[in-house]
């Protein structure tokens, strides 16, 4: 049924990492002769190579999935090779989810064991639930039990991902403590338990910049190795991240490959970095920062929308008017305070840059 539904619907909008990069994972597995932890599909060296990119002895090129510090990724992989869970911490847009997905794909060959944290996430999402029709008809039984992704990962010795952990209510978060400490999930209704197989581990992501987050208790924090993912260090690095992701998204959306947007990417990234830091790149002008995070992910969204506009309503060349609307929307989240910040930035910075006159006019025309 699933295959027929997929065939009818057409190509997937976004394939799982283990499917999208299956050829790279196969090539790494074939070339990988280093020791592998129990249940791991690749050695820690091969997992790091998959994340950071490189070239194998047979000439196979492994594309980089993370552009940043190699040491950070080595620490993340080494943590997961122990029995300690990994917490990826950082502001929105620092590739926490992207890294967690690719880590799970490379280690377990399956990135789909995931719990998405929200304010409504229930404890059953971390433990188990019940098929209530069978529960009423038969009473508590293993057949009536519905395992959570965490339970399935424990049963198979796989990596499970917990996205936006701090969005979950505190009492739900605490359900993880016994799982991470004892590697056991009790099922008192059946007088039974699930013990984790070797290879089981947890990758959680969290940020503390959003409103409504629930801080982790000290007891839970102690059970994670915490790794802070920073924003890109340099303008060039952030431009390359945006360029790479926009190109990949463009291919998945079947947008024309000949679109060249490097100059516009540089302008958008420059604006985001200046507004984030509160000063221009040359340190000569102080600017106000808006309430929005203005992450790399936001820059990718702005440019992807610009590519779509240029492809479908233009001549394929991205111009200032193609990015102006999305750029304004990314900056102005608060219609009062952020609008003042954005207008001041346009008048004191953008207007004075002769090469940016087209962008200034396009943004002013939007009001």
């Amino acid at each position: 049924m699933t295959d027929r539904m997929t065939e009818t619907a057409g190509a997937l909008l976004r394939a799982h990492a283990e499917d999208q990069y299956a050829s790279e994972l196969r090539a790494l597995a074939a070339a990988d002769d280093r020791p592998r932890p129990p249940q791991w599909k690749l050695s820690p060296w091969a997992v790091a190579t998959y994340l950071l990119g490189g070239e194998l002895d047979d000439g196979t090129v492994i594309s980089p999935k993370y552009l940043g510090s190699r040491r950070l990724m080595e620490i993340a992989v080494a943590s997961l090779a122990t029995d300690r869970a990994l917490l990826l911490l950082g502001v929105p847009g620092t590739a926490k989810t992207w890294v967690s997905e690719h880590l799970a794909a490379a280690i377990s060959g399956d990135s789909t064991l995931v719990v998405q944290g929200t304010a409504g996430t229930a404890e059953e999402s971390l433990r188990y639930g019940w098929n209530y029709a069978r529960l009423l008809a038969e009473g508590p039984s293993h057949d009536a039990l519905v395992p959570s992704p965490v339970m399935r990962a424990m049963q198979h010795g796989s990596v499970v991902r917990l996205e936006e952990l701090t969005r979950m209510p505190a009492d739900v978060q605490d359900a993880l403590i016994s799982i991470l400490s004892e590697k056991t999930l009790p099922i008192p209704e059946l007088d039974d338990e699930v013990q984790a197989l070797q290879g089981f581990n947890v990758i959680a992501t969290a940020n503390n910049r959003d409103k409504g987050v629930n801080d982790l208790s000290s007891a839970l924090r102690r059970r994670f190795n915490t790794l802070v993912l920073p924003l890109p260090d340099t303008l060039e690095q952030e431009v390359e991240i945006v360029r790479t992701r926009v190109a990949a998204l463009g291919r998945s959306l079947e947008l024309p490959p000949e679109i060249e947007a490097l100059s516009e990417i540089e302008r958008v990234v420059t604006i985001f970095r200046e507004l984030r830091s509160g000063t221009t790149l040359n340190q000569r002008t102080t600017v106000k920062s808006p309430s929005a995070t203005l992450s790399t992910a936001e820059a990718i969204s702005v440019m992807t929308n610009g590519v779509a506009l240029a492809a479908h309503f233009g001549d394929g060349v991205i111009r200032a008017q193609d990015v102006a609307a999305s750029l304004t929307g990314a900056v102005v989240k608060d219609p009062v305070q952020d609008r003042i910040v954005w207008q001041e930035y346009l008048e004191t910075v953008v207007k004075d840059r002769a090469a940016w006159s087209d962008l200034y006019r396009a943004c002013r025309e939007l009001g």
Side-chain angles (χ1 to χ4, degrees):
M1 174 66 73
T2 302
D3 292 339
R4 289 198 298 271
M5 289 174 65
T6 302
E7 183 177 348
T8 301
L12 295 174
L13 182 61
R14 184 183 184 276
H16 297 304
E18 59 270 22
D19 298 325
Q20 187 175 357
Y21 297 95
S23 60
E24 293 186 11
L25 291 168
R26 285 194 299 268
L28 277 166
D32 186 15
D33 58 359
R34 291 170 170 78
R36 305 179 187 183
Q39 304 282 13
W40 280 39
K41 302 296 183 183
L42 299 172
S43 70
W45 167 85
V47 173
T49 301
Y50 170 75
L51 282 168
L52 297 161
E55 185 173 346
L56 304 181
D57 292 340
D58 63 0
T60 301
V61 175
I62 306 299
S63 61
K65 318 303 180 300
Y66 178 77
L67 299 175
S69 168
R70 181 177 190 87
R71 195 57 177 171
L72 279 178
M73 292 301 100
E74 291 174 345
I75 293 171
V77 175
S79 295
L80 293 170
T82 70
D83 64 348
R84 294 276 290 179
L86 176 66
L87 174 62
L88 300 176
L89 196 64
V91 300
T94 48
K96 300 183 297 298
T97 297
W98 183 252
V99 169
S100 74
E101 179 183 359
H102 285 286
L103 280 170
I107 292 171
S108 300
D110 183 4
S111 64
T112 64
L113 294 175
V114 56
V115 177
Q116 180 62 56
T118 69
T121 299
E123 189 173 333
E124 288 80 3
S125 300
L126 299 181
R127 295 171 59 82
Y128 54 86
W130 297 97
N131 180 327
Y132 287 103
R134 301 197 68 163
L135 184 65
L136 292 172
E138 306 168 7
S141 67
H142 284 94
D143 290 337
L145 187 144
V146 179
S148 69
V150 177
M151 179 182 281
R152 297 205 304 273
M154 296 175 73
Q155 292 170 329
H156 299 125
S158 300
V159 171
V160 62
R161 300 161 50 211
L162 307 180
E163 296 296 333
E164 300 290 355
L165 182 58
T166 52
R167 302 291 299 176
M168 299 180 189
D171 57 333
V172 176
Q173 294 175 9
D174 286 345
L176 285 171
I177 292 179
S178 62
I179 294 173
L180 297 180
S181 297
E182 308 298 331
K183 311 301 181 188
T184 299
L185 179 55
I187 311 174
E189 296 90 341
L190 301 179
D191 192 23
D192 200 356
E193 65 181 13
V194 172
Q195 291 184 294
L197 297 182
Q198 285 186 314
F200 167 73
N201 217 327
V202 175
I203 306 174
T205 66
N207 73 75
N208 55 7
R209 289 291 298 273
D210 289 341
K211 295 180 180 179
V213 297
N214 303 295
D215 289 336
L216 303 181
S217 66
S218 58
L220 186 54
R221 278 187 178 273
R222 287 197 302 269
R223 287 160 173 81
F224 282 100
N225 281 346
T226 301
L227 190 65
V228 179
L229 296 186
L231 289 164
D233 291 332
T234 65
L235 173 69
E236 293 75 19
Q237 187 181 69
E238 190 164 2
V239 167
E240 179 60 18
I241 292 171
V242 175
R243 187 198 64 77
T244 302
R245 290 291 296 129
V246 169
L249 288 169
R251 288 192 296 270
S252 69
L253 297 173
E254 298 184 0
L255 296 173
E258 65 272 9
I259 288 182
E260 179 57 55
L262 187 59
S263 61
E264 292 300 332
I265 291 175
E266 289 177 349
R267 292 204 290 194
V268 170
V269 171
T270 297
I271 290 170
F272 276 30
R273 292 179 71 88
E274 290 180 336
L275 288 173
R276 280 201 309 256
S277 64
T279 183
T280 55
L281 295 184
N282 59 15
Q283 305 293 316
R284 293 179 180 176
T285 306
T286 300
V287 298
K288 296 178 181 176
S289 295
S291 62
T293 305
L294 297 182
S295 65
T296 308
E298 288 272 17
I300 292 169
S301 177
V302 169
M303 289 309 307
T304 302
N305 191 65
V307 169
L309 281 171
H312 298 302
F313 300 101
D315 57 4
V317 178
I318 300 179
R319 295 182 171 84
Q321 57 265 34
D322 297 316
V323 300
S326 296
L327 177 59
T328 300
V331 175
V332 182
K333 300 298 186 185
D334 184 314
V336 179
Q337 296 300 323
D338 289 346
R339 183 171 296 279
I340 295 172
V341 170
W342 180 230
Q343 289 176 346
E344 287 185 3
Y345 180 81
L346 287 174
E347 296 299 327
T348 60
V349 178
V350 177
K351 185 178 181 180
D352 291 341
R353 291 173 175 166
W356 288 22
S357 59
D358 57 338
L359 182 62
Y360 173 78
R361 288 194 302 271
C363 292
R364 294 302 299 180
E365 286 172 2
L366 292 171

